[in-house]
Amino acid sequence: MEFHIENLLLILESVLLVFTIILLLYSIREGRHRDALIAEVGRATRILTRQEYFMNLTDAMLGAKEEVIGAITGRTPQKEDVKKIHSIVAHIEKLVEKGVHVAYLIPKFPDRLYVGSHYTRAGADVRYSSCLMVQDLRYTLIDHHQILLGVPEGTGNQEATKKGYNIPSEGLAAMLEENFYNCWEQSPTYEEYVREVLQETGADPKLLAREFQIDEKEIERISRAGS
């Protein structure tokens, strides 16, 4: 009799164990689907906030009366961001035509020459900086009081900007402006940095132009000017 009861208990424990494993597997499966759904929603949210960021940026730029300065990542845009860069270039051209001073600091990396080239041709003053705040922060300062602060998706200067905040603050603007021009004084211009890269790498101007998607004639002109 005891042997019979022990067998029943063993069978019952086995059934419960199998049932528990099935529930666990089901839970894991559901969890994966839930995580995938959350990830999809998150990606959609990032696209929306990035769009809002660039809309805020362009709207703020168009309202400038005196000056637009900023520290930006300057990384070569991916396919989905090329139109945004062209839009900002068009805005820079309009601002410069109105007499607004436009200037940008970009981290001092050769792969940032693409944006520097486009912004320079649009009429902006561009310099390449090794300052820590230029590496870590991304912001645009409009007329000494309005700040558009960009927030990246993660740490690192390669990370895309996720969203932005409009901050009307003359005090914070004054601090950022002071830091901007302190870095500005010790940073090479776009053309100076192109010559620096050519000298340090020993690269042919044509090769550099192809590598960083810059107009070949522009690089050759800059190279000859430094000879």
Side-chain angles (χ1 to χ4, degrees), residues 27-41:
S27 176
I28 292 173
R29 180 174 176 273
E30 288 299 306
R32 286 175 179 170
H33 284 300
R34 184 175 61 252
D35 290 343
L37 178 60
I38 292 171
E40 287 299 321
V41 172

Side-chain angles (χ1 to χ4, degrees), residues 5 16 100 121 126 132 159 180 193 206 211:
I5 293 174
L16 288 173
V100 176
R121 277 187 285 162
V126 175
L132 181 61
E159 292 296 326
F180 179 92
Y193 186 51
K206 293 182 179 180
E211 177 71 20

Side-chain angles (χ1 to χ4, degrees), residues 213-225:
Q213 305 173 47
I214 306 171
D215 183 72
E216 188 177 306
K217 292 181 180 179
E218 176 184 316
I219 299 297
E220 289 178 344
R221 175 187 61 77
I222 294 172
S223 178
R224 286 195 301 270

Side-chain angles (χ1 to χ4, degrees), residues 1-15:
M1 184 68 176
E2 291 180 1
F3 180 77
H4 182 65
I5 293 174
E6 286 177 1
N7 285 342
L8 286 175
L9 289 174
L10 183 60
I11 293 171
L12 181 60
E13 287 177 359
S14 299
V15 170

Side-chain angles (χ1 to χ4, degrees), residues 87-103:
S87 176
I88 292 174
V89 166
H91 287 6
I92 291 172
E93 291 173 345
K94 291 178 181 178
L95 289 171
V96 172
E97 286 177 3
K98 294 194 303 181
V100 176
H101 175 229
V102 182

Side-chain angles (χ1 to χ4, degrees), residues 21-91:
I21 291 172
I22 291 172
L23 285 176
L24 180 61
L25 291 174
Y26 182 81
S27 176
I28 292 173
R29 180 174 176 273
E30 288 299 306
R32 286 175 179 170
H33 284 300
R34 184 175 61 252
D35 290 343
L37 178 60
I38 292 171
E40 287 299 321
V41 172
R43 276 193 287 272
T45 302
R46 283 197 294 273
I47 292 171
L48 176 62
T49 54
R50 277 170 60 74
Q51 293 288 351
E52 290 175 343
Y53 169 76
F54 282 101
M55 287 177 64
N56 288 337
L57 175 61
T58 52
D59 288 347
M61 288 178 67
L62 287 177
K65 304 297 183 183
E66 300 176 17
E67 183 177 65
V68 175
I69 62 174
I72 60 175
T73 61
R75 65 193 185 97
T76 303
Q78 302 300 313
K79 289 182 179 180
E80 65 271 16
D81 289 331
V82 171
K83 289 183 178 180
K84 296 184 181 73
I85 294 296
H86 289 168
S87 176
I88 292 174
V89 166
H91 287 6

